[in-house]
Amino acid sequence: LFAIFAFATCGGYSGGLRLSVDCANKSESDLNIDIDFAYPFRLHQVNFDVPTCEGKRREKLSLIGDFSSSAEFFVTIAVFAFLYSLAATVVYIFFQNKYRENNRGPLIDFIVTVVFSFLWLVSSSAWAKGLSDVKIATDPDEVLLLMSACKHQSNKCLPVHSPVMSSLNTSVVFGYLNFILWAGNIWFVFKETGWHSSGQRHPPDTMEKQSSSYNQGGYNQDSYGPAGGYNQPGSYGQVGEYGQSQSYGQSGPTSFTNQI
């Protein structure tokens, strides 16, 4: 969705400006000079006619600059990011087993995500600079300086309508939002790779070794089993005065004199 908003607000743009040239001879004036331009912003190909205020002769001018490279680069990255996101969504939902097979899918996804994050940053920065140049090239005050009639003080040249650049500003914002979105997604894709799982294997293995050592040691043996006197019914062992064992069974204690 963010990629759609990015290329739609930039690739679908069309705008224009309007100027007026009021000559000293009113019959030669032109108060509605419309100049339209659109994506991909090859402004040097945008031509328009203006009066010279010297009879009926008119001159043909064009805007200055070609900013198609940064604009087309931005839109291309947005379109490919949208297509990859759509394809990845299908794989996540319907081909999850194939995606995780041999860890190849997560690794490819991780590399592509890193590349798109970098491309979003580069393309958004390039388009932000290109948009700044487009604003300067289409500024009505700058366009009026191109007209020979406006160099004479007897003629009045005024801007009537400036181009609306709100959608282009929005495209730059969405470009950087896409960069943040893709860069933040790097961590979640990295968790799907074998690199992340391999880094998490050592702590569980260590705990298993420790638990097995305790199970094999004496802590797991029943020290109060049949070998001990306390587990025998009705009798328990006791050491006598001369180191001999006295036994008290169910029939009562034996004679201490007999033991001596």
Side-chain angles (χ1 to χ4, degrees):
L1 290 178
F2 276 78
I4 292 174
F5 292 146
F7 71 73
T9 51
C10 179
Y13 177 82
S14 62
L17 62 151
R18 178 176 295 178
L19 307 173
S20 68
V21 178
D22 189 6
C23 301
N25 185 358
K26 302 297 183 181
S27 61
E28 302 174 356
S29 301
D30 190 349
L31 303 181
N32 294 302
I33 303 174
D34 293 322
I35 305 175
D36 298 324
F37 61 95
Y39 174 86
F41 307 104
R42 295 187 176 94
L43 300 183
H44 65 287
Q45 298 179 356
V46 178
N47 302 318
F48 56 96
D49 296 331
V50 295
T52 59
C53 296
E54 297 176 356
K56 297 297 183 179
R57 187 173 65 88
R58 299 175 68 88
E59 62 178 346
K60 188 175 183 179
L61 300 175
S62 62
L63 297 178
I64 298 176
D66 182 5
F67 311 101
S68 59
S69 59
S70 59
E72 290 176 340
F73 178 49
F74 178 80
V75 172
T76 300
I77 296 302
V79 171
F80 277 104
F82 163 71
L83 294 177
Y84 179 78
S85 300
L86 188 62
T89 303
V90 174
V91 172
Y92 293 158
I93 296 175
F94 299 104
F95 303 98
Q96 187 65 228
N97 295 331
K98 292 289 185 181
Y99 174 78
R100 297 181 180 275
E101 185 177 356
N102 297 328
N103 201 35
R104 184 178 300 176
L107 290 179
I108 296 175
D109 196 13
F110 174 76
I111 295 173
V112 173
T113 303
V114 172
V115 171
F116 266 114
S117 300
F118 174 75
L119 292 177
W120 271 117
L121 177 61
V122 174
S123 62
S124 299
S125 300
W127 171 230
K129 177 61 170 61
L131 177 58
S132 177
D133 295 336
V134 169
K135 291 180 179 180
I136 295 175
T138 57
D139 186 0
D141 294 330
E142 295 293 331
V143 178
L144 289 175
L145 297 178
L146 303 176
M147 303 179 185
S148 59
C150 299
K151 298 178 181 179
H152 302 281
Q153 296 182 353
S154 59
N155 304 321
K156 296 181 180 180
C157 300
L158 298 173
V160 178
H161 184 270
S162 299
V164 180
M165 301 286 188
S166 57
S167 63
L168 296 181
N169 295 331
T170 304
S171 67
V172 175
V173 173
F174 275 111
Y176 283 109
L177 287 177
N178 274 283
F179 162 69
I180 296 174
L181 182 65
W182 283 78
N185 196 46
I186 291 177
W187 166 247
F188 297 99
V189 180
F190 176 73
K191 289 174 66 177
E192 299 292 332
T193 63
W195 299 334
H196 179 267
S197 58
S198 63
Q200 296 294 326
R201 288 174 183 172
H202 299 289
D205 291 346
T206 304
M207 294 299 295
E208 289 177 0
K209 291 179 180 179
Q210 293 179 357
S211 61
S212 62
S213 63
Y214 280 109
N215 290 333
Q216 295 175 2
Y219 291 97
N220 197 36
Q221 297 178 354
D222 188 3
S223 60
Y224 300 97
Y230 291 100
N231 200 33
Q232 298 176 0
S235 65
Y236 61 92
Q238 183 177 4
V239 179
E241 181 179 357
Y242 295 96
Q244 297 182 354
S245 175
Q246 297 180 2
S247 177
Y248 296 86
Q250 295 179 355
S251 60
T254 58
S255 173
F256 179 70
T257 306
N258 295 334
Q259 289 291 336
I260 295 174

